[in-house]
Amino acid sequence: MTVAVLDAPRVVDAAAMAVVALVGNPNAGKTSLFNALTGSRQKVGNYPGVTVERKMGRLALPDGRSVRLIDLPGTYSLTPRSPDEAVTRDVVLGAQAGEARPDAIVAVIDATNLRNHLRFVLELRRLGLPMVVALNMVDLAERDCTTIDVARLSSILGLPVVPTVAVRRRGLGEIGAALAPLLTGAVPPPADTAADLVLLQREARVIAATVTTQVGVARAWSARLDAIALHPVAGPVLLGCLLFLMFQAVFAWAQVPMDLLSAGVDHLQKLVTAALPAGDLRSLLVDGILHGVGSVVVFLPQILILFFFILCLEQSGYMTRAAFMMDRLMARVGLNGRAFIPLISSFACAIPGIMAARTIAEPRDRLTTILIAPLMTCSARLPVYAVIIAAFIPNRPVAGVLGLQGLVMFGLYVAGVGGALVAAWVLRRTVTRGPTPTFLMEMPKYQWPAPRDIGIGLYQKAWAFLARAGGIILVSTVALWALATWPKPPAPGSSGATLPAIDYSVAGHIGATLEPLFRPIGFNKEIALALVPGMAAREVAISALGTVYSLDADAEHPEGLVQRLHAAWTLPTALAFLAWYVFAPQCLSTLAVTRRETGGWKWPGFMFAYLFAMAYVGAGATYWAARALT
Amino acid sequence: MTLHLSDLRPGDAATIVAIDHAGVDPANARQLHEMGFDEGVDVALLHRAPFGGDPVMLRVGNMGVALRKSLAAMVVVERAA
């Protein structure tokens, strides 16, 4: 009786807004369908306690009701191999904290791979939840000369089956229409789900054979592309070219929008300077907030271009080919080709990279991948690299077509990857020693990335970046500005005000205290000072340098940060600073996500210590080598 | 004569006769089934990876799957007629 009373409010709530879960194998086009059904009205968050992304949107049914649609991580079965897949199982079983058991399921299956995807449908059907099957990518099945008897499939399964083409928005209304009569507000109790995998597999094969008519050869197009992409010689060359193109594009394409953003920030600074009287408030707005946040926001175009490439590589199916080609190399350092995908994502940001390592089942393999992910040069280092390179590396052509600045940047990325491989090799022989897991993964067919999916993905990345700029970066910039402003130097004319103003401030004292630690590797007081707020997020170091040098500036030195640095640093110091940033563990968010993913402070602590040691040695070696050569 | 999946050359088609469950750890065996491996399923070896020909890419039924040769050696096949 008590149970019924406690349950009553939930039932009312569910009737108002039922929850429908999208479930399916990876590569079934589930996320495309989710994007098509919900548009950009999505809420992206996390499940409590785990970093699995929780995506929710609203879907309007034809009868006027609305349901909350949740996009669950793709999985091959309800026996999870990774934390991602465990969330899918727990949600459909009603065991996930922070999520009500869904009122219905939409199972997304790939029409060109019925027999495998039907096996999962048969497993899901045993849950006893109301269910609609979205037979996705029917256009590709038609192109493969495959005909599917939808009515027959529906009657065999005993479930409504809706043919869809998510990327062309076909069949969307029919999904709502099929869902509406199933949402009666009463959810049956969880049913027994234990099932023999092999028996389900065989049943699915029989059903698939019964409902499909195949005329001609399937997937000729994908096979022809693979003949090039996986060719023993052309394959690796193509991969190298794609990666190089990606990094060149980040610089070439981003220039114009970055100049525009930068001009916009300058303009705002001038407006505020003109509108306010000189004083602490104007200094806070101009030197603190606008300068600090502005110098980070200008890198948004580069970050978007990088994510654009990564999203395209993922959605086209090429990323798995890259993993396939890299497996052998990864195996040499004790990893798995699968680790290549999180590591490539880490070029955008180590946080999604570390989260993507969840697809690696073997715990030690996964831990090693997490530990080396921060060595992939993330987009937050781009602002740092870009400013230092602009200040110290001449932009002259090399071999006619390539720019020296681009080459140096490429070299920094290569140094990070090299460091990661060495670190993995050492880790797998020491702290994460254990058997090397095998490599087994689906190679999905190639697909044109859908512009809508890329657009929504980029929008979410841009938003996350700007939220960071508005949050952690803004706070640390203002804090640094305050530390660098007070106490003020003695009034002019009195004795002792001979040093730059910043030397009298709290920040100046922190920098002076840290300086002896960093002096052997060529860092000055300003760098030591910038490294402190740079702990919050790497790119803050640039806004910190901007703030420090801008506060330090006077009427005779009104130049931008690039010119200031060029005048203030020697070349060996600049190179050492770059080397430091290749390895340095400077990101609290990365350490925090590592703590969440590894369940304690032990591994983030280890990560910090070993990366700090690598950065110190790397920067020191660079400094002394550069001094010897110049 | 028994033939293993790892013995196939690019372009060869075959049918799976058995999976040597004694030689595969249970998690990998389960994953093989999830990827569509089973007795009686038709397979073809499509590509070998650059740098040493390992792993290999297969067509299993209607699906592309990549795996290392050591695991492919646990799958017994019969060459297609």
Side-chain angles (χ1 to χ4, degrees):
Chain A
M1 283 302 108
T2 328
V3 174
V5 170
L6 282 175
D7 266 351
R10 217 208 103 207
V11 173
V12 172
D13 186 36
M17 194 75 139
V19 176
V20 176
L22 272 182
V23 191
N25 280 17
N27 310 311
K30 195 170 52 60
T31 299
S32 287
L33 187 63
F34 180 72
N35 286 342
L37 286 170
T38 62
S40 53
R41 293 157 301 170
Q42 299 179 8
K43 271 200 276 180
V44 185
N46 279 313
Y47 288 103
V50 283
T51 42
V52 177
E53 207 170 62
R54 177 182 186 275
K55 282 190 187 167
M56 204 185 73
R58 224 169 57 100
L59 168 66
L61 299 185
D63 58 11
R65 285 185 294 172
S66 280
V67 295
R68 288 193 294 148
L69 197 64
I70 48 177
D71 185 20
L72 294 178
T75 177
Y76 291 99
S77 75
L78 291 178
T79 306
R81 236 191 319 275
S82 61
D84 251 16
E85 299 178 1
V87 163
T88 300
R89 181 204 54 189
D90 291 344
V91 169
V92 296
L93 290 177
Q96 174 67 47
E99 191 78 83
R101 186 163 191 250
D103 299 273
I105 289 177
V106 175
V108 189
I109 64 174
D110 176 357
T112 67
N113 191 6
L114 262 195
R115 48 164 124 168
N116 257 316
H117 289 222
L118 279 180
R119 190 215 1 99
F120 191 32
V121 170
L122 293 174
E123 190 179 355
L124 289 170
R125 192 176 61 172
R126 300 170 64 93
L127 293 168
L129 285 170
M131 183 152 98
V132 172
V133 176
L135 183 64
N136 198 22
M137 306 199 237
V138 281
D139 58 333
L140 298 184
E142 283 158 20
R143 196 181 63 193
D144 281 356
C145 317
T146 307
T147 320
I148 297 166
D149 187 339
V150 177
R152 187 135 182 231
L153 179 60
S154 175
S155 81
I156 293 174
L157 292 173
L159 301 167
V161 177
V162 180
T164 60
V165 183
V167 292
R168 293 187 209 296
R169 308 185 63 84
R170 264 166 58 188
L172 302 183
E174 288 84 343
I175 289 186
L179 269 173
L182 302 180
L183 297 168
T184 54
V187 181
D192 171 35
T193 58
D196 187 305
L197 175 66
V198 178
L199 289 181
L200 289 182
Q201 200 184 2
R202 289 178 185 165
E203 190 184 345
R205 284 217 300 278
V206 172
I207 298 175
T210 313
V211 300
T212 10
T213 325
Q214 171 81 40
V215 207
V217 186
R219 225 181 278 176
W221 187 65
S222 219
R224 272 201 295 274
L225 274 180
D226 269 339
I228 303 165
L230 299 180
H231 186 273
V233 180
V237 171
L238 179 67
L239 177 61
C241 288
L242 280 174
L243 293 180
F244 190 77
L245 172 76
M246 177 162 105
F247 294 124
Q248 281 286 0
V250 161
F251 287 90
W253 301 357
Q255 204 52 54
V256 173
M258 284 176 74
D259 289 347
L260 285 175
L261 277 173
S262 173
V265 172
D266 280 354
H267 187 66
L268 272 178
Q269 281 179 309
K270 287 204 183 80
L271 281 182
V272 175
T273 308
L276 291 174
D280 283 343
L281 177 64
R282 188 172 92 178
S283 176
L284 169 67
L285 287 174
V286 175
D287 301 325
I289 294 176
L290 282 175
H291 198 100
V293 176
S295 56
V296 174
V297 167
V298 291
F299 294 96
L300 183 64
Q302 288 190 333
I303 287 162
L304 288 183
I305 290 171
L306 191 62
F307 270 115
F308 170 78
F309 271 89
I310 286 174
L311 286 170
C312 285
L313 290 180
E314 269 180 355
Q315 296 191 5
S316 63
Y318 183 78
M319 203 66 115
T320 55
R321 269 69 181 184
F324 172 73
M325 285 190 280
M326 297 306 288
D327 179 60
R328 182 75 173 190
L329 184 65
M330 306 294 273
R332 284 221 187 114
V333 297
L335 287 173
N336 180 304
R338 215 173 251 276
F340 189 68
I341 297 172
L343 292 181
I344 282 285
S345 305
S346 300
F347 280 119
C349 174
I351 294 163
I354 286 170
M355 282 159 56
R358 265 188 260 110
T359 60
I360 300 171
E362 214 283 318
R364 274 169 300 216
D365 204 17
R366 177 162 164 253
L367 179 59
T368 314
T369 308
I370 289 174
L371 288 175
I372 66 168
L375 285 168
M376 301 293 123
T377 298
C378 68
S379 50
R381 282 165 170 114
L382 273 177
V384 182
Y385 288 177
V387 166
I388 307 300
I389 286 178
F392 290 93
I393 308 295
N395 192 16
R396 58 183 167 81
V398 177
V401 283
L402 305 171
L404 182 61
Q405 292 188 336
L407 274 182
V408 169
M409 180 73 72
F410 190 67
L412 292 169
Y413 277 82
V414 171
V417 174
L421 293 178
V422 171
W425 190 86
V426 173
L427 291 170
R428 286 298 273 165
R429 270 155 195 78
T430 52
V431 288
T432 58
R433 190 170 44 230
T436 318
T438 193
F439 173 72
L440 174 59
M441 79 187 289
E442 180 179 355
M443 301 272 109
K445 59 187 169 296
Y446 288 105
Q447 276 180 292
W448 279 114
R452 183 182 340 107
D453 296 337
I454 301 282
I456 290 177
L458 282 180
Y459 171 78
Q460 286 167 350
K461 304 298 178 200
W463 188 243
F465 176 77
L466 290 176
R468 250 159 84 80
I472 195 164
I473 294 174
L474 177 65
V475 168
S476 45
T477 303
V478 170
L480 182 77
W481 171 84
L483 287 177
T485 302
W486 286 289
K488 301 228 164 177
S494 70
S495 60
T498 50
L499 298 168
I502 189 153
D503 283 7
Y504 296 94
S505 67
V506 175
H509 289 292
I510 296 177
T513 312
L514 286 176
E515 197 219 346
L517 175 65
F518 290 107
R519 198 187 302 128
I521 61 171
F523 288 6
N524 59 26
K525 199 175 52 187
E526 285 78 12
I527 299 180
L529 173 58
L531 292 180
V532 177
M535 270 310 297
R538 288 184 176 90
E539 60 272 39
V540 174
I542 280 304
S543 60
L545 285 172
T547 309
V548 169
Y549 279 107
S550 135
L551 286 174
D552 204 14
D554 46 48
E556 292 107 79
H557 297 95
E559 315 99 331
L561 181 60
V562 167
Q563 285 82 6
R564 297 280 315 183
L565 290 180
H566 188 73
W569 292 7
T570 62
L571 181 63
T573 292
L575 293 178
F577 190 69
L578 287 177
W580 171 268
Y581 261 88
V582 170
F583 304 115
Q586 289 216 300
C587 178
L588 285 181
S589 320
T590 300
L591 295 171
V593 82
T594 305
R595 191 196 73 83
R596 256 199 302 186
E597 293 288 312
T598 59
W601 280 111
K602 179 182 164 194
W603 291 112
F606 175 81
M607 179 193 266
F608 182 84
Y610 105 86
L611 288 175
F612 189 92
M614 267 180 102
Y616 196 84
V617 171
T622 306
Y623 179 66
W624 289 103
R627 273 194 33 153
L629 292 173
T630 50
Chain B
M1 191 193 99
T2 52
L3 190 67
H4 295 270
L5 201 46
S6 49
D7 302 327
L8 296 182
R9 306 182 58 80
D12 286 354
T15 304
I16 297 176
V17 176
I19 297 171
D20 176 10
H21 281 95
V24 188
D25 84 50
N28 284 341
R30 200 185 154 81
Q31 207 186 345
L32 280 175
H33 281 286
E34 285 179 2
M35 295 285 164
F37 286 82
D38 190 22
E39 291 159 29
V41 171
D42 53 313
V43 292
L45 194 136
L46 302 180
H47 300 280
R48 288 199 284 220
F51 319 120
D54 193 13
V56 292
M57 177 176 166
L58 306 166
R59 182 182 54 71
V60 181
N62 219 359
M63 182 168 157
V65 178
L67 77 172
R68 286 196 188 150
K69 274 178 150 179
S70 54
L71 190 56
M74 298 300 144
V75 180
V76 184
V77 295
E78 194 170 69
R79 210 180 282 274

